[in-house]
Every structure is written in C-alpha cells, then in structure tokens.
Amino acid sequence: AEEQLIMEGVARHGTRWAAVAKDVPGRSENAIRNRYHRLKGAERARQAAQSAGVTVGGYRCRKCGVFKKGHVCLETPSSPGGGGAGSPRKRPSG
C-alpha cells in the first residue's frame, strides 16, 4: 500500500518529494525518494528480463503469488489485520 501511495504521489506531484511525503505518513522526503528509485529500478530490471525472455526468479508475494522483485501488490489482505511484514506477531500463550 505504501508503494502505491508513493507511485500515486509521484504521478500527482512529480518528483517534488516534500509534496509526495505529505501523502505517506511517517516517511521523510529522503525515504520516499529512495523507495521510489528502488521501485523504478526493479521495474526496469523486470521489464528488461521479460523482454529478453528471461524468467524472473526469486521470492513470491504472499498475497498474489507474483515474483516480488519490482512488484507492487494490489491484492487486499485475505485475513483481517493484513498479516503482512509490518503486522504484529501473535505471541504464544504460556
């Protein structure tokens, strides 16, 4: 979801990182800029690999099964609370 906010913010405001950072709570301008450039680099690498006919390997998204590199998942969480990487873990009782 954060990636989507960043991409939408750049589409709306361009590369004015302060304006984009206002749309993403808890992230600095530098964090937004760095994340955006990582997303774009991964997207370019994925497109180059696909155009060369190379299978993109690596880890897959837990929600939709697409390879993670360069992937922005638009699937909604299957369980309440998300269960993603930023979710709190349940502690064992006892």
Side-chain angles (χ1 to χ4, degrees):
E2 184 177 273
E3 292 88 2
Q4 187 175 2
L5 288 174
I6 292 170
M7 299 308 274
E8 289 172 357
V10 171
R12 194 174 21 238
H13 303 292
T15 55
R16 291 179 296 201
W17 303 118
V20 177
K22 289 179 184 177
D23 295 340
V24 184
R27 296 291 181 180
S28 68
E29 297 171 29
N30 284 337
I32 297 295
R33 185 190 69 227
N34 292 340
R35 182 68 177 137
Y36 174 76
H37 286 297
R38 285 183 59 216
L39 289 169
K40 293 305 282 185
E43 182 180 326
R44 281 192 298 272
R46 187 186 69 232
Q47 288 175 349
Q50 287 177 345
S51 66
V54 177
T55 303
V56 179
Y59 295 105
R60 291 182 179 261
C61 176
R62 291 184 200 173
K63 297 176 187 172
C64 65
V66 174
F67 286 109
K68 279 189 165 184
K69 186 161 186 159
H71 169 63
V72 177
C73 188
L74 302 176
E75 293 291 320
T76 56
S78 58
S79 62
S87 299
R89 295 178 185 247
K90 292 182 180 178
R91 294 185 179 189
S93 59

